[in-house]
Amino acid sequence: MTLLTVERIKLFSTRSPWWCMILATVLTVGFTSLIAATTSSNDVADLTPDVTQFGYNFGLVVMMVMATLAVTTEYRFGTIRSTFLAVPTRTPALVAKLVVVATLAAVVGELTGVGSWGIARLIQPDAPLGLNTAQEYRGVFGVGLVYLLAAVFAMAIGLIVRQSAGAIVIELIYVLLVENLLPVIPRVGDHIQHWLPFIASNNFVVAGAPRHTDGPPVIDDMPLGPWGSLLYFAAVCFGLFLIGTILARRRDA
């Protein structure tokens, strides 16, 4: 509990987590508000729970940046040395940081997911925004799980790279470009894309959603179901964190 308290104090003693939380919420909920407000009465039937989560990736990227900075900022200013002197085995300190950062990301994810759906219901009360299927519940309430695991992924990259700019650039290029551009590779691109971690996390949110909605993209023929995709995403994220922890224990701080 002491390590968790220390990591919580360290995290919230800087401004970046507060700005990231605000920005993630404003971007995601604000984008949904804009969609709902500009939906005409003729198109209100197309405003489904899936559509309200169209912008969840905006907040996801912001919280990944926050998780990365939680690690790399300590390396930049040398405060990680004091942490490792206090906890010579290093692993408990890194796990405590992971718990604090990932929990915060999960809370923000739930706020953005439920908030986006709720604001759409307020703006368009006649829209079919009731939660009636397992996919609709996953799409709204499952966003927090995706944010949590994405924070683990981002912390792992931060531990491996140990430099803020480098780690953030790697994450942004991978999440926003690499995973989406792989299908252009002839023959094998689509098959490889199905096993990429953030494609799998998106499948957890959208699997079973109708293809005609304007929500997050639905990719056909995924090899795993929604919960299998989430477990696969979790395995990749925690596997990378394990690698990052091993490197952190072997390198000089």
Side-chain angles (χ1 to χ4, degrees), residues 184-204:
V184 303
I185 301 175
R187 299 183 182 180
V188 299
D190 287 334
H191 299 291
I192 296 175
Q193 188 191 42
H194 290 168
W195 291 100
L196 297 178
F198 286 90
I199 295 297
S201 70
N202 184 71
N203 188 58
F204 168 70

Side-chain angles (χ1 to χ4, degrees), residues 140-158:
V140 173
F141 293 98
V143 174
L145 292 174
V146 176
Y147 274 48
L148 183 152
L149 294 173
V152 177
F153 181 95
M155 280 194 63
I157 300 300

Side-chain angles (χ1 to χ4, degrees), residues 15-222:
R15 294 180 180 178
S16 59
W18 297 100
W19 282 111
C20 288
M21 288 188 292
I22 293 170
L23 185 59
T25 304
V26 169
L27 278 176
T28 309
V29 179
F31 193 80
T32 301
S33 302
L34 185 62
I35 292 176
T38 56
T39 300
S40 65
S41 57
N42 295 328
D43 298 326
V44 72
D46 295 329
L47 186 60
T48 61
D50 308 289
V51 176
T52 66
Q53 304 305 314
F54 179 79
Y56 86 92
N57 274 322
F58 298 148
L60 179 73
V61 170
V62 174
M63 295 308 294
M64 287 180 66
V65 170
M66 184 213 71
T68 303
L69 291 175
V71 175
T72 57
T73 301
E74 285 213 62
Y75 278 103
R76 178 185 176 188
F77 293 104
T79 55
I80 196 74
R81 297 190 187 96
S82 300
T83 300
F84 288 162
L85 285 173
V87 188
T89 56
R90 301 189 178 186
T91 300
L94 295 175
V95 171
K97 185 183 292 292
L98 176 73
V99 171
V100 172
V101 173
T103 300
L104 178 61
V107 171
V108 173
E110 286 300 312
L111 288 175
T112 58
V114 176
S116 297
W117 171 70
I119 197 70
R121 293 200 70 174
L122 287 175
I123 296 174
Q124 295 286 359
D126 296 328
L129 289 169
L131 302 179
N132 302 309
T133 67
Q135 186 279 319
E136 290 171 343
Y137 276 99
R138 281 198 323 274
V140 173
F141 293 98
V143 174
L145 292 174
V146 176
Y147 274 48
L148 183 152
L149 294 173
V152 177
F153 181 95
M155 280 194 63
I157 300 300
L159 286 171
I160 294 169
V161 178
R162 302 203 302 183
Q163 186 185 42
S164 300
I168 291 172
V169 167
I170 289 171
E171 291 163 14
L172 293 180
I173 290 177
Y174 179 76
V175 174
L176 300 178
L177 290 179
V178 174
E179 289 205 348
N180 294 314
L181 291 178
L182 266 180
V184 303
I185 301 175
R187 299 183 182 180
V188 299
D190 287 334
H191 299 291
I192 296 175
Q193 188 191 42
H194 290 168
W195 291 100
L196 297 178
F198 286 90
I199 295 297
S201 70
N202 184 71
N203 188 58
F204 168 70
V205 175
V206 304
R211 291 279 301 178
H212 65 273
T213 67
D214 294 324
V218 179
I219 297 179
D220 294 324
D221 302 322
M222 289 292 290

